[in-house]
Amino acid sequence: MYPRSLSRLAAPAVAALLALTAGCTGSTVQGRPGASGVRDPFFPKAGNGGYQVDHYDLDFDYDPATGKMDATAVITARAEQGLSSFNLDLSGLDVEEVTVQGAGARFNRTGKELTVRPAKDLKRGEVFVAEIDYAGVPKPLTDPDGSQEGWIPTADGDGAVGVGEPVGSMAWFPGNHHPSDKATYDIRVTVPKGYEAVSNGELSSRTEEADGRTAFAWHSPEPMASYLATVAVGKFAVTTGKTASGIPVHNAVAPKEAAASAAVLARLPEMVEWGSARFGPYPFSTTGAIVLAKGTLGYALETQTRPVFSGALTGARGESLLLHELAHQWFGDSVSPKSWKDMWLNEGFATYAEWLWFEEHGGPSAQERFQAFLDGDTDVDDEAASDWAAFPPAAPPGAKEISDPPVYARGAMVLHRVRQEVGDEKFFALVRGWAADHRHANASTADFTAYAQEKTGHDLKKVWDVWLYGTEHPKAP
């Protein structure tokens, strides 16, 4: 995190804030405000400075008929500096009460920032608990590329889903919404009778309440970036099982999509085992998928342990989608980006995982895919006609391009070039080592390039210069 120092604040604003907080505490302020963003290259207001979250305990009461949510967020965090105030990212919704360390705290809203002023300054290193009671009708947010995230009603009218990449989670819970701050989660969702509420991790309990509603409690013991958190409410068909190695599987599918998705979802356990052999042990305690009514979202998303899909998963396209989002559990979810500029580390790896899966399951080889993009051969890959070389994958022009073809396809081509340079044995050792050594952590492009050179013992500068950072259209080696 990058706390904003007092020297960067206008002097009058500092004086006013110190005076306000001193008035609240009744003593001289020892802390300084936490920054209202971590200065991400593309989303500078995302996240907050001055603290790191250890755990989120979220309790939602949601009524699909009205769209209203009544909720409490209990956030356990550690102050990384003395704090007179701190910020949480929250879009919309009405904050009713905030306490810090059990005492009432002052708060105010400015845009998508909730500023909290504890009754007593927080000391550096202090573990503190903030509780926020809030309510309202959560809304979608629109990304720079025009897609929607946040809290979105399902197309069948039977529920809603919370999706957060890159900053949409602020639409349904307050938090430190940047991938560099990962935490564990407990999420409890209470819904009317007949509805299912599905989230990340393990289903700890399902309780029938006295008023006929049902409460679902989900526990995520491994660290998770907030953009990977999800809650899906609907009248889902739920199936459970286990992989060959004993990892529990929990799938929730919109009823009209269930029959068409059955064949592809049946391969999920096999894919988990395949990924474990290729990339190292599966990094979480559970797996599964959420399949929403067609038209709910314009994309699939790698929400941790339980990726979200919009519409039935069918045929080779469905198989490819499922494998891609599952591969993200290693690359993106367990090993998360340090900033949104590092998005290719998510998408390049997941795209290359697709190439590897089909290479071993009757499809084109990764080399044939690589050549198809160079040749624009859509008979091998439909995406070969895309503008995959429009910009270097490690340097997207801006926020709206972080999900464009160069981040995916050219990102995968970077990995294939490394494989060509070092050979299969060293390449797959590199991939497994990267996933193991950065398990449940964050990493940047610079971290990867340094790690790849050290792990393989090869000078890969030309690969980085041409394929990862080069502005010219790359040519076959």
Side-chain angles (χ1 to χ4, degrees):
M1 303 300 259
Y2 305 95
R4 183 171 59 182
S5 67
L6 289 180
S7 63
R8 294 185 176 270
L9 292 173
V14 176
L17 182 56
L18 291 179
L20 176 61
T21 313
C24 177
T25 63
S27 61
T28 303
V29 172
Q30 300 301 313
R32 68 181 192 268
S36 60
V38 298
R39 296 185 224 160
D40 183 273
F42 294 150
F43 298 90
K45 284 294 190 181
N48 300 282
Y51 66 95
Q52 287 274 320
V53 178
D54 293 328
H55 185 72
Y56 289 91
D57 195 325
L58 307 176
D59 193 340
F60 302 99
D61 189 324
Y62 183 68
D63 184 357
T66 63
K68 188 165 187 250
M69 174 185 290
D70 287 287
T72 299
V74 179
I75 300 172
T76 303
R78 182 181 300 275
E80 296 196 318
Q81 64 182 53
L83 287 172
S84 59
S85 68
F86 60 90
N87 286 59
L88 296 165
D89 303 310
L90 182 65
S91 176
L93 302 168
D94 299 316
V95 177
E96 298 169 345
E97 184 179 9
V98 179
T99 65
V100 178
Q101 303 295 57
R106 299 173 68 177
F107 62 91
N108 69 282
R109 304 287 297 277
T110 302
K112 294 171 182 172
E113 296 290 336
L114 169 64
T115 302
V116 177
R117 296 176 177 86
K120 184 178 180 181
D121 283 3
L122 300 169
K123 297 177 182 178
R124 181 178 180 180
E126 182 177 353
V127 175
F128 65 94
V129 177
E131 183 170 327
I132 302 96
D133 292 327
Y134 61 102
V137 178
K139 303 290 186 184
L141 300 177
T142 301
D143 287 342
D145 66 3
S147 60
Q148 286 200 319
E149 53 171 331
W151 191 263
I152 300 175
T154 54
D156 57 10
D158 276 341
V161 63
V163 286
E165 186 178 308
V167 294
S169 293
M170 71 169 70
W172 50 288
F173 68 96
N176 200 11
H177 293 305
H178 188 268
S180 60
D181 190 0
K182 302 172 80 167
T184 56
Y185 282 72
D186 281 288
I187 299 178
R188 186 175 187 269
V189 190
T190 303
V191 292
K193 184 177 182 179
Y195 284 85
E196 298 283 330
V198 187
S199 188
N200 313 89
E202 306 156 1
L203 181 59
S204 302
S205 65
R206 173 181 178 143
T207 307
E208 301 299 328
E209 305 283 289
D211 60 3
R213 296 181 303 161
T214 309
F216 297 81
W218 294 86
H219 175 61
S220 294
E222 302 94 358
M224 177 165 68
S226 67
Y227 82 92
L228 299 168
T230 191
V231 165
V233 175
K235 296 179 179 179
F236 298 117
V238 173
T239 58
T240 61
K242 288 188 177 181
T243 70
S245 60
I247 298 167
V249 179
H250 188 110
N251 294 331
V253 185
K256 290 184 179 178
E257 316 294 346
S261 299
V264 169
L265 285 177
R267 302 201 73 175
L268 176 60
E270 175 191 358
M271 290 178 175
V272 171
E273 299 300 319
W274 175 85
S276 297
R278 271 299 186 199
F279 312 135
Y282 181 73
F284 302 107
S285 58
T286 184
T287 189
I290 301 169
V291 181
L292 306 168
K294 182 180 180 180
T296 301
L297 303 172
Y299 52 85
L301 190 63
E302 63 269 24
T303 44
Q304 193 159 298
T305 69
R306 205 142 287 115
V308 171
F309 304 90
S310 187
L313 293 168
T314 59
R317 175 60 178 161
E319 185 177 333
S320 186
L321 272 174
L322 183 60
L323 192 285
H324 182 102
E325 305 307 334
L326 180 64
H328 274 308
Q329 305 307 305
W330 285 266
F331 309 111
D333 294 14
S334 176
V335 186
S336 300
K338 280 186 178 175
S339 84
W340 288 110
K341 194 172 183 178
D342 300 308
M343 184 78 155
W344 84 274
L345 286 171
N346 293 16
E347 302 302 347
F349 268 98
T351 300
Y352 199 63
E354 292 180 65
W355 295 9
L356 294 174
W357 168 264
F358 285 103
E359 179 175 74
E360 297 179 28
H361 293 84
S365 68
Q367 175 60 34
E368 288 170 331
R369 296 255 193 190
F370 178 82
Q371 192 63 45
F373 277 89
L374 290 173
D375 298 339
D377 186 354
T378 55
D379 288 337
V380 175
D381 194 310
D382 291 341
E383 298 299 317
S386 68
D387 195 2
W388 59 268
F391 56 81
K400 73 176 184 177
E401 287 86 18
I402 62 171
S403 294
D404 279 5
V407 175
Y408 290 68
R410 187 166 165 182
M413 295 170 86
V414 169
L415 297 175
H416 191 70
R417 282 292 296 116
V418 173
R419 183 182 177 186
Q420 289 176 326
E421 290 291 319
V422 306
D424 279 12
E425 183 177 351
K426 288 186 176 181
F427 175 75
F428 287 108
L430 162 65
V431 171
R432 287 190 294 271
W434 176 250
D437 292 345
H438 298 82
R439 184 180 174 94
H440 301 316
N442 295 82
S444 67
T445 298
D447 292 330
F448 177 73
T449 55
Y451 185 88
Q453 298 209 160
E454 178 184 359
K455 188 76 175 179
T456 65
H458 282 247
D459 182 357
L460 297 167
K461 185 177 183 299
K462 288 185 179 179
V463 175
W464 313 140
D465 288 348
V466 174
W467 291 87
L468 189 55
Y469 288 105
T471 57
E472 301 297 323
H473 193 296
K475 295 185 177 5

